[in-house]
Amino acid sequence: MYRTVTDSSHLKKLLAVIALAIFIDSLDGSIVNIALPTIAEGFSVDMSTAAWVIMAYFLFLVGLIPLFGKIADHGRLQEIFCAGFVVFTIGSVACGLAPDLLMLVVSRAVQGVGASMIAVVAPLLVVRLMPKRHWGMGMGMAATAGAVALVFGPVLGGILTEYLSWHWCFFINVPVGIAAVVLGLRIIPKAERQPRIRFDLAGAVLIFTAMASLIYLLERGIPLGWMNPQVIFCGVVFAVSVVTFVVRELRTPDPILRIRVFRSVPFTFVVSSYFLISIVYAGFLYIIPFYMSIVLGMSPAVSGLVLLISSVITAVMGLPSGALSDKIGARWLVTGAGVVRVLFCLVMAVMMPESGLFWIILLMVLSGLTFGISGGPSSARIIEHAPEGEGGTGSVVMMLAQYSGMVVGVALYALVFNLTVPGAADIAVGLLEMEQFLPGFHMTGVFGAVASAVVVILSVVVKDKIAGINAEK
């Protein structure tokens, strides 16, 4: 369908497009985090309700990845990329103009639809257009762009929120979206032939339903009570959707997601590791702005500047770690980063306001190191360990693991916080006292440390295929 791009100039342009796509997707997944306390106070809602501004975006992004991935992988990379930025830009304008929380959440969902289309194209540009010897570099570029955007987002969001308003966190996407469409039309080639697509719409509906019911279950379990009919119903819907999806995808001749790839134990382990990393990362970015606001009394702009420490370290470490993993393998890089991740989560579990800026700066340094070192190598491992001929499926699974981990991470951290702090789900964030907040914050650190320890174990047991890769080179 596509000819491999060998021209060095065109390859650089492709890398730029890949970086832009992942950067803007991840930026809008995090730019709102720092403004979330301001949004929550402005609309007089609690932390859990405000979290839907984040989760609505990721819910639609994740739920539609298999559908758009299927379309894009059948010779429609350019079309999906450009259409995604058009929808994303329209959603951004709607978010900026939203008069209330409901409209903001709905507009974020529209943004998520466009973001899903953009997200699936980026790794497929690597797999379908770049020579295999450059896959590691391509995935490393994507992972670095995403990691930097996730931490840089709160920096930009803090400045915009304090000196303009939170609405500008969305308006800034408009010129970027227009530029991205122009670049996509000029740089991404069209397929030489486009085979007919068989849509597994039932599979797409089932995976979206499973994700939506799981998020609602995690989010509303405490406020409504675990025996509430709504919560029980969502639990049943989730279980039935997952089972039905698995059975259907194993039987249909052209599934929306080839779940047979999970028969490979190494592939399953590296995907699970990547999923857990995303959970911890998203949970950290969700909860830390509240700590800086409630405990340290920082303004959004100052909080953003503190987060910039992590962003800079991630940017500096990202590309060198990706290049190093091509030479020595990713196994021990990902494992070492996992150990550092356990440490920074343990710092979260014990840090107190009496220590001033020391603990928060240490936290930023450790978080920047762990995500800078592991971003590229951990994502490249998924493509590396995908079964032969399933590179496209591997790239879709990678994005599904990353973004589903983010939306589940926000929900899980909110759940852990609410389980630790009785009644927190019913208290507007502006009324939450420091003494109430700290126990819940510390427990999210413990949760993150446990999840990160599992990542270390999964990373150690899966060996690299570095010998095979070097041989191909």
Side-chain angles (χ1 to χ4, degrees):
M1 293 188 296
Y2 288 102
R3 288 184 180 179
T4 300
V5 176
T6 55
D7 179 70
S8 60
S9 176
H10 198 172
L11 281 174
K12 291 177 181 178
K13 293 176 182 178
L14 274 178
L15 285 173
V17 168
I18 292 167
L20 175 63
I22 296 298
F23 184 86
I24 198 66
D25 257 20
S26 301
L27 182 73
D28 263 73
S30 66
I31 194 172
V32 181
N33 288 47
I34 203 74
L36 205 58
T38 303
I39 294 172
E41 289 186 44
F43 292 129
S44 299
V45 296
D46 57 79
M47 284 177 60
S48 295
T49 303
W52 279 101
V53 176
I54 299 174
M55 289 190 292
Y57 177 81
F58 283 119
L59 175 59
F60 277 81
L61 193 162
V62 173
L64 296 174
I65 279 178
L67 176 62
F68 291 132
K70 184 78 170 181
I71 299 172
D73 200 27
H74 278 67
R76 290 167 175 82
L77 292 175
Q78 186 193 80
E79 292 89 334
I80 294 297
F81 180 88
C82 294
F85 267 105
V86 170
V87 174
F88 181 84
T89 303
I90 293 172
S92 297
V93 173
C95 286
L97 298 175
D100 52 46
L101 186 66
L102 177 60
M103 286 305 300
L104 178 58
V105 171
V106 171
S107 301
R108 285 285 279 174
V110 174
Q111 256 195 326
V113 174
S116 183
M117 301 169 79
I118 299 167
V120 298
V121 172
L124 284 172
L125 289 176
V126 176
V127 175
R128 297 304 180 206
L129 297 179
M130 297 180 67
K132 194 169 185 179
R133 65 181 181 276
H134 292 314
W135 282 8
M137 179 178 62
M139 291 302 177
M141 173 67 79
T144 300
V148 171
L150 282 172
V151 184
F152 180 71
V155 178
L156 182 59
I159 295 173
L160 292 173
T161 299
E162 181 163 348
Y163 295 107
L164 294 173
S165 74
W166 62 262
H167 304 272
W168 283 93
C169 294
F170 304 105
F171 287 145
I172 62 168
N173 292 327
V174 177
V176 177
I178 295 173
V181 172
V182 175
L183 290 174
L185 291 173
R186 291 173 60 90
I187 296 173
I188 302 176
K190 285 192 174 183
E192 295 178 344
R193 63 182 180 86
Q194 298 179 337
R196 183 178 178 182
I197 304 174
R198 295 181 180 179
F199 286 102
D200 180 18
L201 291 180
V205 170
L206 285 170
I207 196 169
F208 184 85
T209 302
M211 183 60 65
S213 56
L214 174 62
I215 297 306
Y216 191 87
L217 175 70
L218 294 173
E219 172 60 26
R220 305 309 297 171
I222 291 180
L224 298 179
W226 296 106
M227 299 308 295
N228 182 279
Q230 291 184 34
V231 176
I232 295 175
F233 176 73
C234 282
V236 173
V237 170
F238 171 71
V240 172
S241 298
V242 170
V243 172
T244 306
F245 175 76
V246 172
V247 172
R248 175 178 174 78
E249 297 306 285
L250 288 174
R251 293 180 177 178
T252 186
D254 195 15
I256 194 169
L257 184 65
R258 298 182 187 278
I259 60 175
R260 294 182 187 275
V261 295
F262 289 101
R263 288 179 175 177
S264 168
V265 174
F267 180 77
T268 301
F269 278 11
V270 295
V271 170
S272 300
S273 174
Y274 199 61
F275 178 71
L276 290 172
I277 290 172
S278 298
I279 285 178
V280 175
Y281 201 9
F284 163 70
L285 291 177
Y286 161 68
I287 199 71
I288 197 63
F290 288 102
Y291 179 89
M292 291 189 283
S293 173
I294 295 172
V295 178
L296 300 181
M298 291 182 177
S299 66
V302 174
S303 298
L305 290 174
V306 171
L307 280 168
L308 185 60
I309 298 172
S310 181
S311 180
V312 170
I313 295 175
T314 298
V316 170
M317 297 297 298
L319 290 179
S321 69
L324 184 61
S325 70
D326 284 338
K327 295 180 180 179
I328 68 172
R331 181 186 184 189
W332 296 115
L333 285 174
V334 176
T335 301
V339 173
V340 178
R341 190 176 296 108
V342 172
L343 291 176
F344 102 72
C345 289
L346 290 177
V347 169
M348 287 180 63
V350 300
M351 60 194 294
M352 297 294 290
E354 290 81 6
S355 302
L357 292 177
F358 173 78
W359 285 111
I360 197 71
I361 292 176
L362 177 62
L363 189 66
M364 293 301 112
V365 171
L366 292 177
S367 64
L369 284 173
T370 182
F371 297 122
I373 294 172
S374 68
S378 58
S379 59
R381 284 194 106 194
I382 296 177
I383 306 301
E384 176 188 335
H385 286 88
E388 187 67 28
E390 294 289 355
T393 300
S395 68
V396 172
V397 169
M398 182 190 73
M399 300 310 295
L400 194 60
Q402 177 180 339
Y403 288 112
S404 63
M406 288 180 179
V407 69
V408 171
V410 172
L412 282 179
Y413 270 60
L415 174 62
V416 170
F417 183 91
N418 289 331
L419 283 173
T420 308
V421 183
D426 300 319
I427 303 175
V429 66
L431 302 177
L432 201 62
E433 299 292 337
M434 180 176 67
E435 292 74 15
Q436 296 173 294
F437 176 82
L438 278 175
F441 177 80
H442 289 157
M443 189 54 65
T444 62
V446 173
F447 173 80
V450 173
S452 299
V454 175
V455 171
V456 172
I457 296 172
L458 293 176
S459 301
V460 168
V461 299
V462 179
K463 297 180 179 180
D464 287 321
K465 290 185 177 180
I466 191 69
I469 294 176
N470 286 335
E472 292 178 6
K473 292 180 180 180

